[in-house]
Amino acid sequence: MKKFALLSTLLLVGSAFAAAPRDTLVVQQAADIPTLDPGVTYDTASGAIVENMYETLLTYRGNSVRDLEPLLATRVPTATNGGRTYTFDLRRNVKFHTGNTMTCRDAEYSFERNLVTNSAESGNWFISESLLGTGSNANDDKTITWARIDRAVECNNAGQLVFTLPKVDPAFLAKLAYTGQSIVDSKHAIAIGEWKGTEADWKSFVGKDLTDSALNKQPSGTGAYRLVRRDANATLLQAFDGYWGKKPAIRNVIIQKVPEIAARQQAFLRGDADLIEGGGRSVDEQQIKGKPGVVWLDNLPNTVGTAIFMNQRIQDPGLLGSGKLDGRGIPANFFSDVNVRRAFSHAFNYQQYIRDVQQGKGKQRTMLLPDSFPGYDPEVKTYTFDAAKARQYFQRAWGGNVWKNGFTLTANYRAGSVPAQTAMEILKRNIESLNPKFKVNVQQKQWSEMLADSKNGKEAMIVLGWAPDYADPDNFIHTFYHSSGYYAPRSNFKDASVDKWIDQARATVNTAQRNRLYSLVGNRAYEQAPYILVPAGVNYTFHRNNLQGVSAATYNPMTSFEDTGTLWKDLSKR
Amino acid sequence: MLNFIVRRLIQVPLVMLVLSLFIVGLTQLLTPEQRAAGFIRSDQQAARLEQIIEERGLRDPFVVQYGNWLGSTLRGDLGFSRASGQDVLQTIRERLPNTVELTLLTALPILLLGVWLGTLSALHKDKLIDQVLRVLTILGYSLPSFVLGIVLLAVFYGYLGWLPGAGQVSIVNQFALGDLRRYTGLLSLDAALNGRWDIAWDVLQHLILPAATLTVINAATIVKVMRNNMLEALTSDYVRTARAKGLSSRVVNNKHARRNALLTIVTLGGFLIINLLSGSLITEFIFGYPGVGLWMVEAGLRLDIPAVLGFGLLSALIVVIVSTVVDILYGVVDPRVRFD
């Protein structure tokens, strides 16, 4: 008995130390952190740490995704030279974690490094598009020379950073707020074996994957937190004493890797973790919401746009059945008839999707653009679930042959994606209930296969989403609606007017004019119905009630640290 | 004996070469797009699929791809594991000691408990104790480790709060780890050698639940096999002869019957240690225990080919070494088996 009592005491003493201390933020997540090098940061798990260790020239103001404010710059510049030149004054007396003072040369080095390397894994293609006119690196595009890179970003005699663009890019400033465009400590980077910053060794760094770079192992930024240690179990950071800004209230940050959700939930409910990666709305609402010590924050903005694609030129004969409108298949251009697309758009039960998949927390958008983004027009009409209208459009489609003969369509969804599967099944049930000759086969497919096949236009109907790289409408509108956009081979939607408006919007920095053009695109897209717009989920988050600084007023969806939508320096614990 | 060990060790590079050819060959059954998917984490990165394939040479012929891998490996570079965010060698160096620590704490209880309970069960055949042990064995045998692990976690950590949750050390000790001088790589031992008994105790506490999960699951098999072997031995001629000679039950059971029954357990023990050292995948995953098993689960899920190859080679090395030790032990247990 005595032995048992001793053992129990020891165990209890051990567990008494477990709770997260007041000056320490404890985060448990399943996601791994691929890199801490801003030059290749292109995922939220890496971004969530990099954005706290490094800083960009500009950032988003509060919870806005429309307004930018200076961070390492002293003001947001206006373009000169017909919209092609941006000149930045940089903040003075800013220290890197190594103790080096930030100069204009560091900023120049950082951008040139991104242009030189521009590896496939990175998001540097979009800054390269702005500064070099192409998303490729010098290996893929031989017109890229060192002289072009050097000219694109330079420090002038007054110590200002000057960007010279080959043509106007209204999204340029928003791109600068992206974590991947953070300013790195050039002296330190060169000292530990990174690119020297000159023409001498630039060729050997072209296309280089920086995921495991020297800078990934020994980062040095100007951010409020510096890396202490990283091992298989945890990433530890500490407030940087030489930070130029306000001293953070949270001294230590621990990002623990806990792959099993049950273990994370237990830690969170016991207060050992302040924040955890959840398991999706239905799981979290059931197992976390309303529990003691938990603060639940709902109705947060979501910046992902999701659509059901209707490919107007299906390249895979295997998906076409008979390949004719004889009830046993579809022709390759089945969706090229606008009546078919409108019929499908009216056959999707949007409210049922919101109810079944999003637990009632969803919103029908008017365009494939987040409603918090500039350029979003809430006045554009939306499709509603209407069986009568769907029937009418089907009766008009293909001269009445669709309705008369019926069709067999094969739709694929990404294996393991319950929302995509549910969306397809809702659509299948509604379509098949309209006419006994209509048949929709729904089947799952591995992501890698779907990536390859959809890129080649082989998929007939799939569900795909897009999350923003930067908060500019072009990042969505061009992707989905332009005939040379990233998703164009998957939808084969081509509309001369839409192309023209998107190109015009790309060529002006006049916000009012751009908004008008995007409204035109939205209205035309409603008429042409190239996609079924899947309702957008409403975001939520939860945290322990002693954590302060998390609210809708401070939550910015462009922040990679989605747990709070803020930087760690803006949090505190009581 | 020495010859035997040397012969076995010479086999290692050959086994590894064949294994690597096999694994790299298997990956060729996947399309370049499928292999490139391991480098992609979002739809945005998917837009760069073709460049990734090009940069990584994923369309190159098998010979070229294998040659590249072999060339790097011979230079001591096993590649970069995206699942761990580190070089493969560094990952193994960091995580294998953790798995060894878990194995050390788990293997002995499993074997001792298994042998003891198996013997007990056989000696009390069909009595209450045997019935209870058989029911428990079936339970342990049929319980999936992820169910048992989660239940233990929920009860002892979540509900009772007696033991810590996932990971290797508590939050308060995370920062102190950086100051520890590492002698062996085994965290509890190193902490003790540094005089940080609090950290050593913390690490041991974190090991209790994963070790208990593995013990319950694995001991069941040993108990079952030990019981059957003992029953067979107890009815054999040599045991009858020993009894007829007037030896005490204790000597007959322990020296004559159990020693012979142990032969199969030596083989099973070898497999057990191979499994534990190669990473107890599910248990490490549930408890977020940073060993090679957790790394392997993530590497598999992410199609992290350098990691899979590195882990394959590590496993081959473990199999050859443990098999050699098992063969030597065979000779110790059974005088009929000798290598000299």
Side-chain angles (χ1 to χ4, degrees):
Chain A
M1 192 63 198
K2 264 185 187 173
K3 276 182 190 167
F4 179 75
L6 179 67
L7 180 68
S8 301
T9 312
L10 284 171
L11 292 174
L12 288 169
V13 166
S15 58
F17 285 111
R22 216 180 130 207
D23 65 346
T24 305
L25 178 72
V26 181
V27 186
Q28 289 191 350
Q29 61 183 37
D32 54 314
I33 301 153
T35 188
L36 295 181
D37 187 331
V40 70
T41 296
Y42 201 26
D43 66 283
T44 48
S46 304
I49 298 181
V50 171
E51 71 190 359
N52 286 286
M53 292 199 301
Y54 286 89
E55 288 174 316
T56 45
L57 296 176
L58 305 174
T59 190
Y60 296 97
R61 187 190 301 278
N63 65 357
S64 172
V65 295
R66 297 166 186 249
D67 303 324
L68 294 168
E69 64 180 20
L71 187 58
L72 284 179
T74 55
R75 62 184 174 81
V76 181
T78 42
T80 55
N81 185 25
R84 295 199 303 119
T85 301
Y86 290 87
T87 305
F88 283 87
D89 287 307
L90 302 181
R91 199 176 284 280
R92 291 181 191 279
N93 299 320
V94 172
K95 296 276 184 199
F96 286 108
H97 300 162
T98 54
N100 293 333
T101 303
M102 185 194 75
T103 65
C104 181
R105 175 62 192 141
D106 293 304
E108 185 187 6
Y109 175 87
S110 305
F111 287 100
E112 286 178 350
R113 181 172 182 255
N114 288 349
L115 294 176
V116 165
T117 53
N118 190 6
S119 71
E121 293 84 358
S122 76
N124 289 322
W125 61 271
F126 56 78
I127 196 75
S128 183
E129 273 188 349
S130 297
L131 292 169
L132 301 176
T134 166
S136 305
N137 61 37
N139 282 341
D140 303 327
D141 184 342
K142 301 297 176 198
T143 67
I144 299 175
T145 59
W146 165 248
R148 282 183 65 195
I149 291 174
D150 193 32
R151 256 199 320 271
V153 48
E154 288 183 298
C155 292
N156 64 17
N157 291 336
Q160 294 170 305
L161 186 70
V162 183
F163 292 100
T164 308
L165 282 57
K167 58 179 184 177
V168 165
D169 179 5
F172 181 65
L173 291 180
K175 289 176 181 179
L176 295 184
Y178 179 65
T179 311
Q181 306 309 328
S182 294
I183 308 307
V184 305
D185 184 344
S186 65
K187 285 191 203 77
H188 166 72
I190 294 164
I192 59 175
E194 290 295 320
W195 173 55
K196 288 191 174 66
T198 64
E199 189 177 8
D201 62 339
W202 84 284
K203 280 275 187 185
S204 56
F205 279 85
V206 174
K208 188 170 180 187
D209 180 8
L210 300 174
T211 307
D212 188 34
S213 69
L215 207 55
N216 161 56
K217 292 179 182 121
Q218 301 172 61
S220 170
T222 62
Y225 289 86
R226 63 176 185 87
L227 180 73
V228 175
R229 195 168 55 79
R230 207 179 160 200
D231 61 24
N233 200 42
T235 302
L236 311 179
L237 299 105
Q238 211 155 47
F240 171 43
D241 292 332
Y243 184 56
W244 60 271
K246 195 181 152 220
K247 194 177 173 189
I250 300 277
R251 176 90 189 135
N252 306 312
V253 178
I254 300 177
I255 314 284
Q256 263 187 305
K257 189 171 169 61
V258 181
E260 171 57 44
I261 187 168
R264 295 199 301 273
Q265 285 171 341
Q266 298 291 349
F268 180 71
L269 293 174
R270 286 179 52 81
D272 292 350
D274 301 301
L275 297 159
I276 58 162
E277 182 179 331
R281 185 179 276 276
S282 58
V283 174
D284 296 336
E285 279 196 350
Q286 200 175 6
Q287 300 187 20
I288 300 288
K289 192 177 179 182
K291 296 277 165 68
V294 174
V295 176
W296 184 270
L297 189 60
D298 216 326
N299 301 317
L300 296 171
N302 170 10
T303 53
V304 177
T306 307
I308 299 177
F309 284 55
M310 293 181 277
N311 187 359
Q312 299 183 35
R313 192 151 44 90
I314 304 156
Q315 311 269 0
D316 182 4
L319 286 182
L320 302 177
S322 64
K324 296 178 211 154
L325 272 179
D326 55 2
R328 291 182 290 115
I330 49 166
N333 59 348
F334 178 62
F335 285 115
S336 64
D337 186 328
V338 70
N339 292 302
V340 175
R341 302 198 298 270
R342 286 176 185 159
F344 270 84
S345 297
H346 275 302
F348 187 71
N349 192 335
Y350 303 90
Q351 294 311 315
Q352 187 190 352
Y353 182 84
I354 291 172
R355 203 170 52 241
D356 293 353
V357 176
Q358 297 163 329
Q359 271 69 47
K361 289 283 185 182
K363 179 179 180 178
Q364 247 190 293
R365 288 197 187 130
T366 60
M367 322 158 66
L368 279 166
L369 178 67
D371 44 313
S372 54
F373 266 46
Y376 183 80
D377 184 353
E379 302 301 321
V380 173
K381 284 192 279 188
T382 55
Y383 281 89
T384 51
F385 172 52
D386 189 330
K389 279 188 183 167
R391 193 173 292 115
Q392 279 170 21
Y393 281 119
F394 272 130
Q395 283 165 348
R396 280 184 221 164
W398 289 96
N401 284 329
V402 171
W403 188 256
K404 193 171 74 186
N405 300 332
F407 62 84
T408 301
L409 167 75
T410 301
N412 292 330
Y413 66 91
R414 182 175 162 176
S417 170
V418 176
Q421 183 184 2
T422 312
M424 287 303 195
E425 280 170 0
I426 289 172
L427 194 60
K428 171 189 168 73
R429 198 164 47 246
N430 294 341
I431 294 282
E432 290 180 348
S433 68
L434 292 172
N435 184 334
K437 292 176 184 168
F438 291 178
K439 177 139 185 67
V440 179
N441 297 321
V442 176
Q443 57 188 27
Q444 63 174 330
K445 198 165 180 176
Q446 286 304 314
W447 192 41
S448 53
E449 283 175 62
M450 191 178 271
L451 281 176
D453 286 348
S454 68
K455 182 188 70 184
N456 296 321
K458 288 182 173 175
E459 297 291 353
M461 180 172 257
I462 49 173
V463 182
L464 284 176
W466 185 258
D469 297 312
Y470 47 89
D472 188 273
D474 184 71
N475 195 223
F476 280 87
I477 300 287
H478 190 272
T479 301
F480 279 104
Y481 295 119
H482 197 280
S483 63
S484 66
Y486 170 58
Y487 278 149
R490 289 140 178 100
S491 66
N492 282 297
F493 169 64
K494 185 175 171 64
D495 185 286
S497 303
V498 169
D499 280 358
K500 187 182 74 187
W501 293 326
I502 295 173
D503 289 338
Q504 284 174 352
R506 271 192 159 189
T508 176
V509 288
N510 183 320
T511 306
Q513 199 180 340
R514 291 184 81 206
N515 290 346
R516 189 182 63 78
L517 290 164
Y518 288 133
S519 292
L520 290 172
V521 172
N523 283 307
R524 180 76 177 155
Y526 171 78
E527 285 170 22
Q528 291 299 310
Y531 304 99
I532 301 169
L533 273 59
V534 176
V538 169
N539 259 349
Y540 67 94
T541 187
F542 52 88
H543 59 86
R544 295 293 307 176
N545 59 5
N546 58 342
L547 187 68
Q548 309 289 297
V550 195
S551 69
T554 56
Y555 187 95
N556 193 306
M558 294 305 290
T559 306
S560 292
F561 192 61
E562 292 160 333
D563 297 309
T564 62
T566 63
L567 296 178
W568 304 333
K569 66 179 182 178
D570 297 322
L571 299 171
S572 62
K573 280 171 84 174
R574 62 177 164 77
Chain B
M1 175 71 83
L2 189 66
N3 273 347
F4 169 75
I5 295 173
V6 171
R7 268 207 317 274
R8 272 293 174 86
L9 291 179
I10 290 171
Q11 286 174 7
V12 174
L14 198 70
V15 169
M16 288 183 161
L17 194 72
V18 173
L19 189 81
S20 66
L21 266 168
F22 187 63
I23 300 176
V24 179
L26 273 179
T27 63
Q28 300 302 303
L29 297 175
L30 303 171
T31 62
E33 285 82 6
Q34 286 171 325
R35 277 176 283 142
F39 298 91
I40 293 170
R41 301 172 61 85
S42 64
D43 288 322
Q44 282 92 329
Q45 278 181 327
R48 313 275 287 168
L49 188 73
E50 211 44 57
Q51 286 96 320
I52 289 172
I53 293 171
E54 195 61 37
E55 278 178 21
R56 308 256 154 203
L58 300 177
R59 288 199 204 284
D60 289 347
F62 168 67
V63 180
V64 176
Q65 291 193 44
Y66 184 74
N68 289 340
W69 177 83
L70 192 64
S72 311
T73 303
L74 292 176
R75 287 193 301 275
D77 175 12
L78 281 173
F80 177 71
S81 164
R82 303 184 76 81
S84 66
Q86 288 175 323
D87 289 340
V88 170
L89 268 182
Q90 196 188 339
T91 308
I92 293 173
R93 209 175 295 138
E94 191 182 309
R95 292 182 182 234
L96 186 60
N98 296 339
T99 300
V100 169
E101 205 165 11
L102 182 59
T103 304
L104 287 176
L105 203 80
T106 312
L108 208 60
I110 292 174
L111 290 171
L112 292 179
L113 207 68
V115 169
W116 176 53
L117 293 178
T119 309
L120 203 66
S121 192
L123 293 177
H124 297 86
K125 187 171 178 281
D126 294 336
K127 291 184 186 154
L128 180 66
I129 190 163
D130 181 37
Q131 307 276 18
V132 171
L133 282 171
R134 279 160 70 187
V135 170
L136 289 177
T137 306
I138 290 168
L139 268 177
Y141 198 68
S142 26
L143 257 181
S145 52
F146 68 89
V147 173
L148 182 65
I150 289 172
V151 168
L152 289 179
L153 194 76
V155 173
F156 290 99
Y157 171 58
Y159 182 67
L160 296 171
W162 287 1
L163 288 166
Q168 199 179 14
V169 286
S170 302
I171 304 306
V172 283
N173 285 326
Q174 290 281 0
F175 280 87
L177 292 186
D179 303 328
L180 288 187
R181 190 161 167 207
R182 303 306 289 266
Y183 299 97
T184 63
L186 308 180
L187 191 53
S188 58
L189 194 58
D190 286 347
L193 290 172
N194 278 270
R196 290 299 304 266
W197 296 98
D198 56 330
I199 297 181
W201 175 234
D202 188 11
V203 175
L204 288 175
Q205 276 187 300
H206 276 83
L207 280 166
I208 293 173
L209 287 181
T213 308
L214 288 169
T215 303
V216 172
I217 303 289
N218 290 296
T221 313
I222 308 276
V223 173
K224 206 171 148 201
V225 174
M226 190 64 198
R227 180 181 181 273
N228 290 344
N229 288 354
M230 271 300 279
L231 286 176
E232 199 182 322
L234 287 170
T235 54
S236 60
D237 292 341
Y238 60 87
V239 168
R240 208 175 301 124
T241 310
R243 282 209 183 99
K245 278 162 68 182
L247 292 175
S248 70
S249 296
R250 192 185 170 86
V251 173
V252 171
N253 292 340
N254 290 351
K255 198 172 173 189
H256 293 262
R258 190 155 70 181
R259 185 158 181 169
N260 281 287
L262 276 175
L263 271 177
T264 325
I265 301 299
V266 171
T267 315
L268 267 182
F271 284 122
L272 171 76
I273 289 172
I274 288 169
N275 285 339
L276 291 173
L277 279 177
S278 304
S280 301
L281 309 188
I282 306 295
T283 306
E284 288 191 5
F285 185 86
I286 289 165
F287 291 97
Y289 187 75
V292 287
L294 176 56
W295 172 50
M296 203 49 241
V297 173
E298 283 160 358
L301 289 172
R302 293 197 54 191
L303 208 67
D304 183 350
I305 290 169
V308 172
L309 274 163
F311 184 79
L313 297 184
L314 174 72
S315 299
L317 193 65
I318 291 171
V319 167
V320 173
I321 291 172
V322 175
S323 308
T324 309
V325 173
V326 166
D327 287 343
I328 293 167
L329 279 178
Y330 243 83
V332 174
V333 177
D334 187 352
R336 291 171 299 176
V337 185
R338 286 282 189 265
F339 300 99
D340 297 327

